[in-house]
Amino acid sequence: MIIETESRFRDALRVMENSLARRRSGLVAYDEDSHGKHMHILIIFKPLCHSSVTVIGIIREFALITGTVSLFAAREMEISFYVRRRLAMCFRKLRKFKEAVKIMKDLLKEFPMIMDIQENLIECLLEMKAYADVQAVMAKYDDVNIPKSATIVYTAALLKCRCVGERFSPDVVSKRGISAVELSAIEAIHRAVEFNPHVPKYLLEEKSLILPPEHIVRRGDSEALAYSFFNLDHWKEIDGALKILHMTWEGTFRSLPYPLEKGHYFHPYSAGMESAERELLPAFHEVSVYPQKEVPFFITFTAALCCVMAMLAVLTHAYPEFMTQLARTFIVYVSLPVTFLVEKLEAVVPPTLMQNLARI
């Protein structure tokens, strides 16, 4: 009985491989060249999505019976994942969020560790303003053992800021003290900024946005562009969120004096990220660099003064007569304004007053 069942499944898979596989792969290739015609893609992919579910069901039953997965089965699962995700993204672009969320949730049940699906689901739920559902997704995936992204950490900060809202004010906090909810929001912002320090300048519109690149580098400027491009409106919709971010995000760097050597919540920031970013981003875009090596003015002034003094000492040793003449000329020119002011004062002020001042 088991042998007959296996042969029947093998025959079914062989038929699908000869008919559906080439057709589905061809449609996927056509989609990649269709340049984002979402309605056209929906017409093509909706029936294809239903056939994908049927094919995957047969493949899984066959895998349970035989205990093996063929190359054809693996390819079909990849195509099925691509088709359904593409369909969900088309629904999202057409603002049919309920259909998109349903497909994404089904995909997460079948492929729970695909990070991008979680991010797409969070963004769709934020578009629907379903903050309770966003919180449920975050509780499941904002875990220590799961890889992070800017979408995960900044959405967690956004939800914490939503609990505080416009009530946050430095003057009020300094008088009554910081509450537990406000402290939690500030810590979430510090955690997010430590993960990707480039995002706040884009969210606060201190730096201009451009279209995000096709590929991104985690914790880099390209990821900051992609997150800010799709999530800036979500931050603007929540009252006081950008205000809290503006007041608190720079405080992260005080707790991270050496971000390339030691991190607080995450691994140290990678030093070789800038070169990879310059390959991904266009030449006209100014790539954000972290950490920025800003030298205090006093140190710069002291270094310049020391250099000038050293140069004068070397010149005086090499050319003593010339430097002596130059110093005398300099003193004469500097003393001219002082001499002029003294003469004017003597002409205006009575002589007796000048004599009394000289005695003092």
Side-chain angles (χ1 to χ4, degrees):
M1 185 67 181
I2 295 175
I3 296 173
E4 292 178 0
T5 306
E6 287 186 15
S7 62
R8 189 165 61 250
F9 274 116
R10 289 183 189 279
D11 293 338
L13 285 174
R14 193 177 301 110
V15 170
M16 285 188 295
E17 187 170 4
N18 291 331
S19 59
L20 281 176
R22 292 188 180 88
R23 177 173 175 264
R24 288 148 59 85
S25 301
L27 288 174
V28 168
Y30 173 77
D31 165 56
E32 291 176 350
D33 294 330
S34 62
H35 304 293
K37 298 173 184 176
H38 305 300
M39 287 302 298
H40 198 175
I41 294 169
L42 277 178
I43 294 170
I44 294 173
F45 274 8
K46 256 194 170 181
L48 199 59
C49 182
H50 295 304
S51 67
S52 297
V53 175
T54 305
V55 171
I56 295 300
I58 295 173
I59 288 171
R60 284 179 176 166
E61 288 183 20
F62 177 74
L64 286 173
I65 293 172
T66 61
T68 59
V69 179
S70 64
L71 292 174
F72 167 69
R75 184 183 65 183
E76 283 299 307
M77 292 183 72
E78 289 182 7
I79 293 176
S80 173
F81 174 80
Y82 176 87
V83 166
R84 292 158 71 188
R85 183 187 175 186
R86 190 77 174 92
L87 191 62
M89 297 307 293
C90 290
F91 277 128
R92 177 189 168 188
K93 290 287 185 183
L94 296 170
R95 304 193 67 81
K96 297 182 178 182
F97 298 119
K98 290 184 179 179
E99 292 88 341
V101 167
K102 183 180 183 302
I103 295 174
M104 289 177 187
K105 286 183 176 179
D106 292 341
L107 285 174
L108 277 175
K109 289 178 183 176
E110 299 176 26
F111 309 95
M113 294 310 295
I114 303 296
M115 192 69 182
D116 294 340
I117 298 296
Q118 303 163 11
E119 298 176 12
N120 298 147
L121 177 59
I122 288 169
E123 289 170 0
C124 280
L125 293 172
L126 286 173
E127 290 280 359
M128 296 170 65
K129 298 183 181 179
Y131 297 114
D133 294 335
V134 176
Q135 189 68 59
V137 175
M138 293 297 299
K140 187 175 181 181
Y141 294 107
D142 190 13
D143 187 75
V144 177
N145 300 319
I146 297 177
K148 296 294 181 292
S149 66
T151 302
I152 297 292
V153 294
Y154 275 92
T155 302
L158 179 62
L159 295 176
K160 297 287 179 65
C161 291
R162 180 172 173 265
C163 299
V164 178
E166 290 187 336
R167 296 172 295 171
F168 184 82
S169 173
D171 297 331
V172 176
V173 169
S174 61
K175 291 178 181 177
R176 64 166 169 77
I178 190 167
S179 65
V181 178
E182 292 167 342
L183 182 61
S184 177
I186 294 171
E187 287 178 351
I189 289 175
H190 287 182
R191 177 171 174 262
V193 173
E194 181 184 342
F195 182 82
N196 193 319
H198 311 289
V199 173
K201 286 192 175 182
Y202 292 113
L203 291 179
L204 297 172
E205 297 181 90
E206 296 177 3
K207 196 173 179 184
S208 58
L209 277 172
I210 63 170
L211 284 172
E214 184 178 357
H215 304 283
I216 63 170
V217 177
R218 291 293 184 196
R219 304 184 73 179
D221 193 29
S222 56
E223 185 189 32
L225 276 169
Y227 173 79
S228 304
F229 188 85
F230 293 108
N231 291 272
L232 178 58
D233 291 337
H234 304 152
W235 281 81
K236 288 182 176 179
E237 286 174 0
I238 295 179
D239 295 335
L242 289 175
K243 179 182 176 183
I244 299 172
L245 180 67
H246 175 69
M247 292 179 180
T248 59
W249 77 276
E250 290 183 342
T252 309
F253 307 121
R254 287 194 290 271
S255 61
L256 291 171
Y258 305 104
L260 300 179
E261 300 175 8
K262 184 180 180 181
H264 187 58
Y265 296 102
F266 304 100
H267 293 293
Y269 195 82
S270 176
M273 203 167 289
E274 182 182 354
S275 58
E277 294 286 359
R278 294 192 185 280
E279 294 178 5
L280 292 174
L281 296 170
F284 64 83
H285 176 71
E286 182 183 354
V287 178
S288 295
V289 180
Y290 176 77
Q292 294 182 351
K293 298 175 181 178
E294 296 181 355
V295 181
F297 172 76
F298 177 75
I299 295 177
T300 307
F301 175 75
T302 305
L305 185 61
C306 290
C307 291
V308 171
M309 295 299 293
M311 188 182 300
L312 289 175
V314 171
L315 290 173
T316 303
H317 178 75
Y319 310 101
E321 295 180 1
F322 173 75
M323 291 303 294
T324 302
Q325 186 63 32
L326 185 64
R328 286 174 182 172
T329 306
F330 178 75
I331 291 170
V332 169
Y333 279 108
V334 169
S335 62
L336 281 177
V338 179
T339 306
F340 178 76
L341 289 175
V342 170
E343 290 176 356
K344 288 294 183 182
L345 284 173
E346 288 177 352
V348 175
V349 178
T352 54
L353 180 61
M354 294 299 294
Q355 291 173 3
N356 292 333
L357 288 174
R359 291 172 185 174
I360 296 173

